[in-house]
Amino acid sequence: MDGGFDRGPDGRSTDLPSGGGVPRWLADSLNFCSRCGASLRFGTVPGEDRERLACSACGHVAYVNPRLVVTTLPITEAGEIVLIRRGIEPGLGSWAQPGGFLEVDETVNQAAIRETWEETGLLVQPGEIVGLYTRLEASVVTITFEARIVGGTAAPTPEATEVVAFAPEDIPWSGIAFKTTVWALRDWLARRHPGLEVPVVSSGR
């Protein structure tokens, strides 16, 4: 049933069909019950509308939910957009917006500020949400904020070998790391620079 609903605009960033359950690469790491330590099995569970991972001993259902990635598109006073050349995998050596996983003890606004600061040395003020993007392949949902730079100094970090402000027409499309970055940039340009022609590009991740 889940695969039959309208995927919405955030489905653009995934190639996998919906309704496939826990990705195999993730399920392979979920072997034992967090309550009693017995083995988990994947299959039909009474009262559930889809197959689930469940404990063969105590019946505990191990629900598996996607992680939230919080990112920003930092914008300079001149209207340039700041991207980082990633210093770590995935996407090593390619361009992306700064961002990372939401911590359990922070809000998405705090995560947007923290991740941008950690990766670029820039202090930002998150503004409008540019978009929300689902990647079933990676079990993540990415939220992207447009952000105003309010302080700090751009500098390389262990996670970003370069921090560069690009004019909208100079975005390095051929070197973008992630599908979610491509979609976020497209959505931002459609809102702020609707007359700018954007090349047809794709990303493998």
Side-chain angles (χ1 to χ4, degrees):
M1 184 68 176
D2 296 315
F5 295 125
D6 180 13
R7 289 160 71 95
D10 66 307
R12 297 172 302 186
S13 52
T14 187
D15 292 328
L16 293 182
S18 299
V22 183
R24 174 54 55 190
W25 64 267
L26 182 55
D28 286 345
S29 67
L30 301 171
N31 299 312
F32 302 103
C33 178
S34 60
R35 285 188 176 177
C36 72
S39 296
L40 294 174
R41 65 171 184 81
F42 186 74
T44 303
V45 176
E48 294 288 335
D49 61 355
R50 60 161 64 194
E51 293 186 324
R52 301 280 190 188
L53 280 171
C55 179
S56 56
C58 72
H60 172 66
V61 178
Y63 294 102
V64 181
N65 303 111
R67 298 165 295 171
L68 184 63
V69 176
V70 183
T71 70
T72 67
L73 296 179
I75 309 301
T76 69
E77 289 187 2
E80 299 165 316
I81 187 166
V82 174
L83 298 176
I84 64 170
R85 189 185 293 275
R86 288 182 58 81
I88 58 174
E89 293 288 2
L92 176 66
S94 298
W95 296 98
Q97 74 272 46
F101 290 110
L102 176 71
E103 297 286 357
V104 71
D105 59 352
E106 65 184 356
T107 68
V108 291
N109 198 76
Q110 289 173 315
I113 297 169
R114 174 184 57 77
E115 285 287 349
T116 305
W117 173 261
E118 290 176 354
E119 294 188 353
T120 69
L122 296 172
L123 182 63
V124 297
Q125 183 179 70
E128 293 184 25
I129 295 175
V130 175
L132 191 68
Y133 311 96
T134 301
R135 288 203 61 231
L136 302 182
E137 298 90 336
S139 294
V140 299
V141 175
T142 298
I143 184 172
T144 302
F145 290 93
E146 181 182 55
R148 185 168 65 92
I149 299 171
V150 295
T153 301
T157 68
E159 295 182 65
T161 59
E162 295 182 62
V163 181
V164 179
F166 293 97
E169 61 271 20
D170 294 331
I171 291 171
W173 292 104
S174 63
I176 298 296
F178 309 114
K179 294 176 183 178
T180 49
T181 301
V182 171
W183 285 114
L185 290 171
R186 284 183 175 277
D187 287 346
W188 180 76
L189 288 170
R191 182 180 305 174
R192 301 302 184 201
H193 301 275
L196 185 64
E197 184 176 349
V198 179
V200 177
V201 294
S202 62
S203 175
R205 294 183 176 87

